[in-house]
Amino acid sequence: MRFQEYATEWMAGQRHLAAASIRHLESLLEHHILPALGSRRMNSFDHKVVDGFIRTMEKAHTGLATQANAFDKLRAILLDAHQLGLYAESPLTGVKPPQCAPSRAVIPSLPQLRSLREAGDDAFKLIVDLMSGCGLRNGEAAAINLNNLVADDVNRVKEQVVMSTGKYGPLKHRKA
């Protein structure tokens, strides 16, 4: 079996992923993983192949965050194959994954925050205030509504607006 066929079958089993995560996975497969490894036979993977994939992304000047994400998806697929017994030894053994060290978050100064508030209409001002005053993310601030009121003055963040669909969706990576 070729890697592309295996990855397609593996992806069909990822029913727990949200719509945005599926789009992200499809994008990584389409633009990075499958062009490099799609035609390779599954039984031909070893640590040198995986390391070569990382080096190829480095030579193409792929950003570190994208390298790390693509490697994570490749690792998930190959670990699944290893657990199914396709490999006696994991093809990931000894591979040094790409290291992405995100830069420190930048918090806007008060003058910058004032200019943000003046830049838009009332709805935009409300979003900026919710984000800066309550620490909400974009999608969480956009999802604030009367249905989530749990007391007269308490709005519980239970959902977010999914930017790709523009509809309400569950909070990602949050426990109930």
Side-chain angles (χ1 to χ4, degrees), residues 32-161:
H32 300 284
I33 301 171
L34 293 180
L37 303 171
S39 62
R40 181 173 279 281
R41 294 221 175 260
M42 285 300 291
N43 62 359
S44 69
F45 277 87
D46 61 13
H47 68 282
K48 290 180 182 179
V49 172
V50 177
D51 197 53
F53 170 67
I54 296 168
R55 283 195 316 274
T56 300
M57 287 192 295
E58 289 170 348
K59 287 178 190 168
H61 302 291
T62 304
L64 276 176
T66 303
Q67 286 182 37
N69 285 327
F71 176 78
D72 285 345
K73 300 310 179 222
L74 176 61
R75 176 175 47 202
I77 295 168
L78 293 178
L79 282 177
D80 182 71
H82 176 62
Q83 290 170 345
L84 288 175
L86 265 66
Y87 309 110
E89 183 180 330
S90 172
L92 301 162
T93 303
V95 175
K96 184 178 180 226
Q99 297 297 314
C100 177
S103 58
R104 194 171 160 89
V106 177
I107 299 171
S109 65
L110 286 176
Q112 290 171 324
L113 199 52
R114 278 190 209 102
S115 26
L116 277 173
R117 286 186 179 120
E118 295 167 2
D121 59 5
D122 288 342
F124 182 76
K125 289 177 192 174
L126 177 61
I127 297 283
V128 170
D129 286 342
L130 286 168
M131 291 176 69
S132 64
C134 302
L136 299 181
R137 295 177 172 92
N138 298 358
E140 295 167 348
I144 293 295
N145 61 63
L146 296 175
N147 296 333
N148 292 331
L149 283 175
V150 294
D152 288 343
D153 60 348
V154 177
N155 194 310
R156 180 81 59 221
V157 178
K158 299 179 189 173
E159 56 195 353
Q160 67 183 11
V161 172

